[in-house]
Amino acid sequence: MELLSGADMITRFLADEGVEYIYGYPGGAALHIYDAIHRQDKVNHILVRHEQAATHMADGYARATGKPGVVLVTSGPGATNAVTGIATAFMDSIPMVVLCGQVASHLIGEDAFQETDIIGVTRPIVKHSFSIEDPSEIPMILRKAFYIATTGRPGPVVVDIPKDMTAPTEKYEYVFPKKVKMRSYTPVGRGHTGQIKKAVDLILKAKRPILYGGGGLVLGGASELFTQLAKKLNFPVTTSLMGIGAYPQTDRQSVGWLGMHGSFEANQAMHHSDLVVCIGARFDDRATNNVSKFCPTARIVHVDIDPSSIGKTIRVDVPIVGTATSVLEEMLALLDESKTQLKADALVDWWKQIDAWSASRAGRIYEPAEPGETMKPQQVVEAVWKATQGKAYVVTDVGQHQMFAAQYYKFDKPNHWITSGGLGTMGFGFPAAMGIKLNKPDEEVVLITGEGSFQMMMQELSTCSQFGIPVKIINLNNQSLGMVRQWQDLNYQARHAQSYMQSLPDFKMLVESYGHVAMKVEKAEDLDAAIEKTFAMKDKLVFLDVYVDPHEHVYPMQVPQGSMNDMLLSKTERT
């Protein structure tokens, strides 16, 4: 029998669970745990400079690997600083376990120093939460936390740990729980065979079909099966923003991602389709535009692991609750067995129409800057794509640069496009990139950001110095909050209320003061050489401050409250 304190049980459990890194910031209520971490060598702690960065580091790691990220913070302000990162993970269904120190149990409710009801604060933005009431419960509660975070529709789980639960003087039997059984929690497994057969029948009859993949394909490891289905059917393929990479974007059948700033051909194909097969997406408002005008001639098949997502915003003809993997396997098997042939002639006509939409946009995407001119943000992203051969992990913050990165960097693999989709969190990108690079040191990890977002977490340059995390940062510097400014141009007669930043730092000097490398690029003819130099420095954090056209907009852009194909194509064109 092994006897351990509550704090030692936590560190031993994390090691037994296979956790290599945790991200956090110490404080009084968590110091017993920090002392236990110091006395072992299997679990490495990364000291961030702000608790929000800890959650984003764990989040980025989880998105790139599919494994849960782990965070450790203290009570009160330490826990509340983590709230934005918890909400970010919750909105995008990212597995995470957040360990929060808490005041001693006899002080809870007494307004003690640094006391906050973090269970209550985070209840709307977690998948589940626990509070430790006896140290002997720690192994099983942590096992349940990891199980809940990673099964079914993934999400963050908060574990609140009063300080007296981790006292070094009290020891309890430790056994790693190998099995978890929770009567009130049964994750969904296989989809209903009858419903899958109905979906296959619709697929075989469709004349203008489209496959629509979401982030659930990436999270569920189902991208390869989704690709097999697309190839078998020869259907056009689109994805949500979170589903980018679930299907190879350079493949002929890919029509790009859809929605507010999605591709012209994807939005047109969705609007004119007669069948939408949606797998692992939730029909978010940025993907559908006005739901009353959404895909007016289409039957809709919706596959999702979360039954509450089906029919929530869009009427569905064939709902299927199940894992993407199991449903796709059964669909493929049923198609192999079927004696009914696809509507081949109709598909030829459908592809001619899609190719015509694609051709109509050729050469009208944007005008690259000439030598001596200020660069277009699009050409910077394209230069990064070429320099990395499309193989990098690309992380973004939120705004115009995020949309340009999604449009002009082509992803052929899942888990390589890392962005905050649901919450749209400025400041997410830098720490998320750090979490990926730390765990994948031999991979190229690129942050594409803007000067507004970067300043929200730029203190983590210090963390990168301490732990040697050589991410590459491409700052698309337009001296403004670009997406805010674009909306003000379009909807507020160009009244730029608080969207221009008039006191930006010299980013080159700032980054160099932390011991990193920084370069400034202001002209188009200097871009390629600077990018080549950036990626040649494998072991250094490099910050490339690229000045781009401050007046450029992101297009296409759906017209608010319009249909899928109601788009602004430029400052002067509309569908």
Side-chain angles (χ1 to χ4, degrees), residues 14-15 17-23 42-45 61 438-439:
L14 293 175
E17 185 67 28
V19 175
E20 186 177 358
Y21 290 102
I22 60 173
Y23 316 93
K42 291 184 179 178
V43 180
N44 301 289
H45 182 276
Y61 162 77
L438 189 69
N439 288 274

Side-chain angles (χ1 to χ4, degrees), residues 95-205:
M96 182 190 297
V97 176
V98 183
L99 308 177
C100 297
Q102 182 56 281
V103 300
S105 55
H106 69 278
L107 294 174
I108 292 175
E110 299 292 328
D111 292 331
F113 176 66
Q114 292 193 333
E115 180 191 357
T116 297
D117 176 13
I118 197 61
I119 296 287
V121 169
T122 60
R123 185 167 284 117
I125 54 169
V126 295
K127 188 175 178 185
H128 195 62
S129 52
F130 294 95
S131 182
I132 304 295
E133 297 180 357
D134 188 282
S136 63
E137 301 175 340
I138 287 174
M140 182 53 76
I141 284 181
L142 291 183
R143 189 72 185 85
K144 288 179 179 178
F146 276 81
Y147 176 65
I148 292 170
T150 55
T151 54
R153 180 178 181 173
V157 176
V158 164
V159 183
D160 197 35
I161 310 171
K163 188 171 184 178
D164 53 323
M165 299 296 112
T166 59
T169 54
E170 299 181 25
K171 299 191 177 183
Y172 301 82
E173 181 181 359
Y174 172 79
V175 177
F176 180 77
K178 294 183 179 179
K179 291 185 179 181
V180 179
K181 189 173 183 179
M182 300 178 68
R183 185 176 60 183
S184 59
Y185 177 66
T186 307
V188 172
R190 302 190 66 84
H192 189 281
T193 297
Q195 293 296 92
I196 298 172
K197 285 180 178 177
K198 289 180 182 178
V200 170
D201 287 343
L202 289 179
I203 286 170
L204 293 170
K205 295 174 183 176

Side-chain angles (χ1 to χ4, degrees), residues 208 270-274 276 290-300 315 563-565:
R208 301 185 310 280
M270 283 289 286
H271 181 76
H272 292 281
S273 65
D274 68 353
V276 175
N290 188 332
V291 294
S292 68
K293 301 176 182 179
F294 179 74
C295 300
T297 58
R299 306 287 295 277
I300 295 176
R315 185 189 63 79
S563 59
M564 286 294 291
N565 69 335

Side-chain angles (χ1 to χ4, degrees), residues 375-432:
M375 277 159 289
K376 299 293 186 182
Q378 300 95 320
Q379 73 187 102
V380 181
V381 175
E382 286 191 320
V384 172
W385 176 57
K386 290 174 184 175
T388 58
Q389 300 178 312
K391 297 178 180 178
Y393 287 85
V394 176
V395 190
T396 78
D397 278 294
V398 171
Q400 280 186 326
H401 69 268
Q402 176 191 31
M403 296 296 100
F404 287 131
Q407 288 176 340
Y408 291 94
Y409 197 104
K410 301 303 178 186
F411 295 87
D412 285 340
K413 292 182 179 179
N415 303 99
H416 281 60
W417 163 249
I418 312 293
T419 198
S420 169
L423 196 65
T425 306
M426 293 175 70
F428 166 83
F430 185 23

Side-chain angles (χ1 to χ4, degrees), residues 442-476:
D442 297 328
E443 301 288 343
E444 200 68 81
V445 181
V446 185
L447 167 65
I448 297 177
T449 187
E451 73 285 349
S453 290
F454 184 72
Q455 288 183 96
M456 291 198 169
M457 286 282 118
M458 65 185 181
Q459 75 281 345
E460 299 310 315
L461 288 164
S462 176
T463 304
C464 289
S465 297
Q466 179 175 348
F467 294 97
I469 308 176
V471 298
K472 303 297 182 281
I473 302 170
I474 312 296
N475 186 44
L476 301 183

